[in-house]
Amino acid sequence: MMTLYDMELSGNCYKVRLLASLLGMRLERIAVNLRTAENRSPNFLALNPRGEIPVLVDADTVVWDSHAILVYLAGKHDGGHWYPEAPAARARVLQWMAVAAHEIQYGVAAARAVSLFGRQGDIDAMRATGTRALELIDRRLGDSAWLAGNQVSLADVACYPYLSCAPDGGFVLDAYPHILRWFHQLRSLDGYTPMIQCSVAENT
């Protein structure tokens, strides 16, 4: 069984748990306490020199970075559905994964970290970046059933967690009807599992 170094409240860790659940995979989970700097211990840094979660261990293979882990899991267990092999289709998936890693991470996720964990930063700038991300995603979903086209993909798994918890960072989602439709659509998939510590998500 693969092992996931994990934290319940992390949206990036939840991406991995969500895909694993949608693929019908079981993961052994090891909680990493960031408050006590377990992620800076020599043992953890031997797994990930960046000192960040999540980290996936599969026998002798160690993968860090949430999006790299998503690609790894899809490649091992998917057969091309979640991460298509055709160059144009794969590029569309990667475009939206880039939005997750930039506008969503530095906007929506960062504002949530300030609100929930007391992180320091310019909350107004974070919310402005997050609002741009929400508007971009909502426009896209007004034209497409899923972010990368007509079927669910890693793009949706990468973007969903922090958008679903956007109210934690002070965002109001009522203005984004296409995102709300997409939430319900994704939650109806076989194998969907919620982010337990993000209670606002399942009421949106």
Side-chain angles (χ1 to χ4, degrees), residues 4-35:
L4 178 68
Y5 288 81
D6 189 22
M7 182 180 126
E8 190 71 43
L9 281 171
S10 166
N12 286 324
C13 291
Y14 172 54
K15 294 175 188 182
V16 177
R17 299 196 306 268
L18 176 58
L19 180 63
S21 184
L22 291 168
L23 292 174
M25 297 171 47
R26 292 181 59 213
L27 300 174
E28 178 186 2
R29 295 171 57 190
I30 296 178
V32 178
N33 190 335
L34 273 60
R35 295 184 185 276

Side-chain angles (χ1 to χ4, degrees), residues 44-125:
F44 189 85
L45 291 173
L47 295 173
N48 181 1
R50 297 177 74 193
E52 297 179 349
I53 51 172
V55 176
L56 184 78
V57 177
D58 180 17
D60 294 331
T61 299
V62 178
V63 186
W64 42 264
D65 180 79
S66 60
H67 291 176
I69 296 171
L70 295 183
V71 169
Y72 180 79
L73 294 180
K76 286 205 69 170
H77 298 275
D78 176 38
H81 173 83
W82 291 86
Y83 191 55
E85 295 184 1
R90 178 164 290 188
R92 285 192 292 271
V93 171
L94 287 171
Q95 287 173 162
W96 294 102
M97 292 177 77
V99 172
H102 294 276
E103 288 92 338
I104 293 174
Q105 184 70 38
Y106 295 110
V108 179
R112 177 176 180 261
V114 170
S115 298
L116 290 189
F117 309 122
R119 296 264 182 92
Q120 299 300 309
D122 185 342
I123 189 68
D124 291 333

